[in-house]
């Protein structure tokens, strides 16, 4: 099992950039695929991006394709989400989690953390 703690959220203007981080603990981090999810205000949690344990295979939701990039550093037990060209509709609480598999609709297997708030102003 693995527990991930999110950080790096904040307030940014539309068109700006932000980098989110997840710090892992528990089971060996490199054994897990990792994904980012987000929950906009008044909406359900949705898939954002996923990255394989090796860091070589990625999946992105259509809404963020070309703007967001995932990466990881297994030696540091860290995973990142670089968000560029941010839009107001990206405003949400962002969560990181370990994944059962890789797809555009992956299943999280870890406990949900507190997430990190991203607010994009217009």
């Amino acid at each position: 099992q693995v527990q991930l703690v999110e950080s790096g959220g904040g307030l940014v203007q539309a068109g700006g950039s932000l980098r989110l981080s997840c710090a892992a603990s528990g089971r060996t981090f490199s054994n897990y695929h990792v994904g980012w999810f987000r929950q906009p205000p008044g909406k359900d949690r949705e898939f954002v991006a996923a990255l394989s344990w090796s860091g070589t295979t990625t999946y992105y939701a259509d809404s963020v394709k070309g703007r967001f990039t995932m990466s990881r550093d297994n030696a540091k037990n860290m995973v990142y989400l670089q968000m560029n060209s941010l839009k107001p509709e990206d405003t949400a609480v962002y969560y990181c989690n370990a994944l059962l598999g890789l797809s555009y609709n992956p299943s999280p297997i870890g406990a949900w953390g507190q997430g990190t708030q991203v607010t994009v102003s217009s």
Side-chain angles (χ1 to χ4, degrees):
Q1 298 182 24
V2 64
Q3 179 68 50
L4 302 173
V5 179
E6 305 90 347
S7 63
L11 176 64
V12 64
Q13 288 190 332
S17 298
L18 206 59
R19 191 192 194 200
L20 306 184
S21 300
C22 273
S25 63
R27 188 70 71 179
T28 302
F29 185 53
S30 61
N31 288 343
Y32 295 89
H33 309 310
V34 184
W36 284 96
F37 302 78
R38 68 186 182 186
Q39 186 167 21
K43 305 292 184 180
D44 294 331
R45 202 193 319 269
E46 64 184 20
F47 168 74
V48 175
L51 182 65
S52 65
W53 67 267
S54 65
T56 59
T57 303
T58 55
Y59 291 84
Y60 297 99
D62 288 342
S63 59
V64 307
K65 188 78 172 181
R67 300 187 298 118
F68 291 11
T69 303
M70 281 195 71
S71 62
R72 67 192 297 168
D73 186 339
N74 290 339
K76 297 180 179 179
N77 291 335
M78 296 290 292
V79 62
Y80 308 97
L81 182 67
Q82 178 66 47
M83 305 184 295
N84 299 325
S85 301
L86 283 163
K87 305 173 181 180
E89 51 262 44
D90 295 319
T91 295
V93 178
Y94 284 70
Y95 303 88
C96 189
N97 214 323
L99 304 176
L100 181 61
L102 284 177
S103 72
Y104 291 98
N105 187 30
S107 299
I109 59 174
W112 294 109
Q114 294 298 113
T116 185
Q117 175 71 234
V118 172
T119 302
V120 184
S121 64
S122 59

